């Protein structure tokens, strides 16, 4: 019997990066009564940072600053179907020690926030790029046929099957952790 | 087509390695994941000791975290470390393989089935009974029972143990006497 009230979720974990939609425009002046409204979707850890990022990018694109502009709306964007596995492609621009580079990366995840978090972690580990040196240009859900990377394509198998080779013996709560064990744990799955 | 070519290439090198050292867990780990056909042929060729595979329909036991103690069904594989799991009493979600222990039970479901399909498949495969009759499942039931005893129950258990010990020792004494005689 499905308990409808106890809808417990695994992955309602705190995402570090949230996706926000920020809408803003320049302040209306005598010269321009109805300035154009711009909307941006970006990733930030919180709303304050999101607004700041919005002005950073908008300054680079249009002649408007936070001091002569206004944010009209900021909303968090949540994942529509967090139970469906998707292939995400992320285009990014990052600053390395020697200059700026563009990159395209693919991730398999259930939510876009999860994929973006994977991306930040991977860039930090593989290229030593910290998150403030990364700009996300574009993200998209890629259908399986159009995926480019072998590491995501190898999971496009409807009859996927593999053994788990190595089982780390772990106590079910951290409280039961001990430094020494009486006997050698069996690592076979 | 590109994918087929590369998987043949991967098969070549890794199969050669695996066949030359079949007990090398590192090589076998590098083989993961391969297409099911390759895995079947490998396990026949190498007599791989793995009987429980991560596959769609595999029932697993959650061994860490908030969902500790639940039986879930692997409904899809996200990537090397995570699976999408589902169970009749919970929303479908992702979980790391490190938090799962695979069981022997496997049910027949299509990839990412509807909840109703999943429940029906679990009924036909009789997962609940198979689990409760398996030695692993029985051990868990006993553990739960022992944890939920109150003081009076523990007293009763003590008496029962003494009685059982006495009966065993009586039989042993009889056998010893017969042996001596």
């Amino acid at each position: 019997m499905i308990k409808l009230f106890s809808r417990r979720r695994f992955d309602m974990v705190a995402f570090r990066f949230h996706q926000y939609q920020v809408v803003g425009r320049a302040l209306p002046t005598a010269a321009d009564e109805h300035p154009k409204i711009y909307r941006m979707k970006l990733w930030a850890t919180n709303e304050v940072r999101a607004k700041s990022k919005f002005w950073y990018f908008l300054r680079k694109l249009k002649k408007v600053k936070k001091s002569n502009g206004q944010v009209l709306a900021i909303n968090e964007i949540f994942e529509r179907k967090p139970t469906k596995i998707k292939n995400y492609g992320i285009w990014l621009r990052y600053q390395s020690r020697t200059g700026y580079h563009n990159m395209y990366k693919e991730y398999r995840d259930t939510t876009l926030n999860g994929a973006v978090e994977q991306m930040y972690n991977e860039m930090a580990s593989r290229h030593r790029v910290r998150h403030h040196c990364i700009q996300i240009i574009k993200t998209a859900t890629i259908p399986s046929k159009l995926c480019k990377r072998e590491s995501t394509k190898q999971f496009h198998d409807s009859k996927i099957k593999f053994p788990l080779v190595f089982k780390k013996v772990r106590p079910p709560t951290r409280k039961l952790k001990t430094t020494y064990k009486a006997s050698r744990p069996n690592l076979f799955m | 087509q590109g994918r087929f070519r590369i998987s043949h290439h991967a098969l070549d090198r890794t199969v050669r390695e695996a066949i030359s050292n079949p007990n090398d867990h590192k090589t076998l780990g590098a083989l993961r994941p391969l297409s099911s056909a390759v895995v079947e042929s490998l396990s026949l060729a190498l007599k791989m000791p793995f009987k429980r595979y991560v596959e769609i329909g595999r029932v697993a036991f959650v061994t860490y975290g908030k969902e500790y103690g639940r039986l879930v069904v692997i409904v899809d594989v996200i990537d090397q470390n995570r699976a999408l799991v589902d169970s009749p009493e919970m929303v479908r979600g992702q979980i790391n393989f490190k938090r799962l222990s695979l069981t022997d039970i496997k049910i027949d479901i299509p990839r990412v089935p509807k909840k109703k399909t999943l429940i029906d498949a679990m009924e036909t495969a009789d997962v609940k009974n198979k689990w409760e009759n398996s030695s692993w499942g029985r051990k868990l039931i006993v553990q739960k029972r022992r944890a939920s005893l109150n003081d009076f129950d523990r007293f009763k258990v003590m008496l029962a143990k003494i009685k059982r010990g006495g009966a065993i020792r009586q039989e042993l004494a009889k056998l010893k006497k017969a042996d001596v005689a």
Side-chain angles (χ1 to χ4, degrees), chain A residues 166-171 181 184-188:
Chain A
F166 171 79
K167 171 177 81 159
K168 182 180 168 198
V169 179
R170 161 152 97 146
K181 303 229 176 289
R184 204 153 193 206
N186 178 20
L187 302 170
F188 185 68

Side-chain angles (χ1 to χ4, degrees), chain A residues 144-181:
Chain A
S144 317
K145 285 193 185 41
L146 302 177
C147 280
K148 282 172 62 181
R149 305 285 185 243
E150 276 313 305
S151 56
T152 46
K153 294 206 310 207
Q154 67 182 348
F155 291 101
H156 294 155
D157 181 1
S158 65
K159 297 196 179 52
I160 192 163
K161 177 174 168 176
F162 53 87
L164 289 176
V165 170
F166 171 79
K167 171 177 81 159
K168 182 180 168 198
V169 179
R170 161 152 97 146
T173 55
R174 295 199 65 208
K175 240 189 173 160
L176 300 169
K177 188 172 81 156
T178 56
T179 326
Y180 299 104
K181 303 229 176 289

Side-chain angles (χ1 to χ4, degrees), chain A residues 92-123:
Chain A
L92 50 126
R93 173 178 186 247
Y94 74 99
Q95 184 181 21
S96 72
R97 291 177 195 149
T98 41
Y100 283 90
H101 307 276
N102 293 332
M103 238 188 205
Y104 166 70
K105 288 193 153 291
E106 275 180 14
Y107 297 99
R108 242 173 101 77
D109 203 319
T110 50
T111 64
L112 185 47
N113 286 349
V116 162
E117 198 163 332
Q118 266 188 291
M119 182 275 292
Y120 277 115
N121 288 334
E122 193 181 349
M123 289 303 288

Side-chain angles (χ1 to χ4, degrees), chain B residues 115-149:
Chain B
K115 204 68 161 208
K116 197 170 163 311
T117 326
L118 177 71
I119 295 176
D120 290 337
M122 286 183 88
E123 294 287 311
T124 49
D126 211 10
V127 169
K128 198 161 167 358
N129 282 337
K130 272 201 207 149
W131 176 245
E132 281 169 9
N133 295 337
S134 71
S135 55
W136 189 354
R138 273 183 283 141
K139 271 190 272 187
L140 286 179
I141 292 172
V142 168
Q143 276 176 15
K144 249 195 227 165
R145 180 87 185 93
R146 286 195 182 146
S148 67
L149 293 176

